[in-house]
Amino acid sequence: MKDLKRIAITCGGTGGHFNPGLSIAQEFNAAGGEAILLLGGKHAEKQLKIAAECGVKAYKIPASPLSKNLFRLIRFALDALKGRNLCRKIMQEHKVQALLSMGSYTSIPPYLAAYSRKIPFFLHDGNARLGKANLAMSKRAKAFAFSFPSVNASGVKCPAELTGFPLRAQLLHSHLSREEAFAKINETFGATFDPEQPTLLVFGGSLGAERINRNIDFTSPDLQVIHLTGPGKKEQAETCYAGKPNKVLVLESFEDMGLLYTAADFVISRAGGSTVSELAYFGKYALLIPYPFAAQQHQDDNAAWLASAGGAEVVADADCTATLFRSMIDRWVANRDAILAAGERSRALAMPDAAAKVIAMIRKYL
């Protein structure tokens, strides 16, 4: 459909839903279209501000998760109805031609609105294991965009294409050299990192990961470490480095992940869809520790995707002891060149044009 000019994207929930939705909206708007975001969930207010800063129109909608609890089930139904009615008005006002859902329960009210107005509906999933809500809604969808080769694609009831995970524009536009990245880090934090020394980046997602924060250990005196702990966990992680001669920067969080990826030789992290896609894009070797309570253990499947290219090793959360970290990290430092080369090979998996591919899919199936 060559005259596709107006789309709505429902991408509330976690950053794994919101960030790729925002990236697609920015790509669509840059090409002269109008994309609006429909945001629900507990992070909606923060996401509204981020969207506004990026020049993307966004609306907060009522949405509650489905539950077996009677009170919560009633709330789910009421929010679904209120959300549907609000989305109908928004879609009519903006003359929306297609709706793209990035998954999660927050997509249900917009889906109901699109169905009632006969607006074509499309899906995107940010994990290697497709979510239950997306699989259920695929019966009514025009097409489904996969971030990774899906391990349960047999449950999809519409055409599907592998498009990749749309990365944040900030990451795609991060083109500093390693030396420039270290210079910026040193200037920002008053640090004295040396770009010639091996550098480890550690993070456990937006909330941090306690086993990682408590158990990081190594013996190499030359290793430099940048560790993002999650809110309120900085002191917890700093105990891992007490008495060590190494250069270490411990932060609760940091927005410019492109800067940190560029500086790092290797990474220890969880295995969300955005994280493994970013690791492939920046060509960084990783120890991946899938979040054990992720829905359907989908982070295990994400981790397996990166490991399949030789770009990662995967360890269960319960096995993350100080002894394991010490053995792993010391081996990486001792074999730095080989580990760097393995990370570079994982770039073959990266799909930096994922946002454009999702938009192309929508045009194709309209």
Side-chain angles (χ1 to χ4, degrees):
M1 186 177 185
K2 294 182 180 180
D3 60 344
L4 178 64
K5 294 294 183 182
R6 298 173 299 279
I7 64 171
I9 303 172
T10 170
C11 57
T14 66
H17 298 107
F18 173 72
N19 288 325
L22 177 62
S23 297
I24 295 169
Q26 290 175 292
E27 178 80 16
F28 191 78
N29 290 350
E34 180 194 27
I36 61 170
L37 303 183
L38 303 174
L39 306 172
K42 63 181 180 180
H43 304 296
E45 289 292 345
K46 178 181 177 181
Q47 291 168 353
L48 283 171
K49 293 178 181 177
I50 295 172
E53 291 169 358
C54 295
V56 177
K57 293 180 182 178
Y59 297 87
K60 182 180 178 180
I61 62 170
S64 296
L66 187 61
S67 173
K68 294 180 181 179
N69 176 280
L70 180 59
F71 175 77
R72 292 177 180 173
L73 183 61
I74 294 172
R75 182 178 177 183
F76 163 80
L78 291 174
D79 280 347
L81 180 61
K82 289 190 293 185
R84 185 205 66 170
N85 293 341
L86 177 58
C87 289
R88 279 176 57 90
K89 293 178 182 178
I90 295 170
M91 290 176 183
Q92 182 177 11
E93 176 186 345
H94 287 274
K95 298 181 173 60
V96 168
Q97 296 169 281
L99 172 67
L100 172 65
S101 168
M102 309 305 289
S104 95
Y105 68 89
T106 64
S107 65
I108 293 175
Y111 163 73
L112 295 173
Y115 180 69
S116 69
R117 291 188 59 83
K118 296 183 171 56
I119 294 173
F121 178 69
F122 296 82
L123 293 165
H124 178 278
D125 202 296
N127 293 296
R129 182 171 296 276
L130 308 174
K132 292 180 180 179
N134 272 349
L135 288 175
M137 290 187 290
S138 71
K139 297 176 183 178
R140 303 285 185 183
K142 285 281 189 181
F144 201 137
F146 293 172
S147 291
F148 312 99
S150 172
V151 300
N152 58 339
S154 61
V156 175
K157 306 301 182 184
C158 64
E161 293 188 4
L162 178 62
T163 61
F165 189 104
L167 297 179
R168 288 171 283 174
Q170 180 190 37
L171 293 175
L172 294 174
H173 298 150
S174 179
H175 301 302
L176 295 177
S177 68
R178 179 180 172 90
E179 289 73 20
E180 290 170 333
F182 273 110
K184 191 170 182 179
I185 291 170
N186 288 340
E187 180 184 358
T188 302
F189 298 104
T192 57
F193 285 115
D194 182 350
E196 298 299 321
Q197 296 298 102
T199 304
L200 171 67
L201 171 62
V202 182
F203 60 97
S206 60
L207 298 178
E210 185 169 347
R211 284 190 188 274
I212 297 175
N213 289 341
R214 286 187 180 278
N215 294 318
I216 288 292
D217 195 18
F218 50 86
T219 63
S220 171
D222 298 326
L223 181 68
Q224 304 175 139
V225 183
I226 301 172
H227 188 148
L228 306 184
T229 67
K233 299 176 181 178
K234 186 171 182 285
E235 291 184 5
Q236 178 188 76
E238 285 175 333
T239 60
C240 296
Y241 307 106
K244 291 186 180 295
N246 306 75
K247 296 175 182 178
V248 177
L249 176 63
V250 181
L251 305 169
E252 289 194 353
S253 63
F254 187 63
E255 287 299 316
D256 192 353
M257 287 300 295
L259 183 67
L260 303 188
Y261 281 126
T262 301
D265 290 303
F266 17 72
V267 178
I268 294 176
S269 71
R270 291 297 195 194
S274 57
T275 296
V276 297
S277 299
E278 290 162 8
L279 289 167
Y281 178 71
F282 284 94
K284 301 300 176 180
Y285 193 83
L287 172 63
L288 295 176
I289 306 161
Y291 180 54
F293 304 109
Q296 301 174 277
Q297 284 73 54
H298 64 257
Q299 287 201 7
D300 293 72
D301 300 300
N302 297 342
W305 171 79
L306 190 62
S308 71
E313 299 171 57
V314 185
V315 174
D317 184 82
D319 295 332
C320 289
T321 62
T323 300
L324 180 140
F325 282 129
R326 186 166 54 249
S327 173
M328 187 82 65
I329 296 169
D330 286 350
R331 174 167 58 82
W332 285 0
V333 174
N335 298 276
R336 184 184 181 190
D337 289 344
I339 296 298
L340 290 173
E344 281 295 325
R345 287 194 292 272
S346 69
R347 287 184 190 267
L349 294 176
M351 289 173 271
D353 57 347
K357 285 184 175 179
V358 174
I359 295 168
M361 183 198 74
I362 295 173
R363 292 184 185 278
K364 174 182 175 180
Y365 286 98
L366 275 177

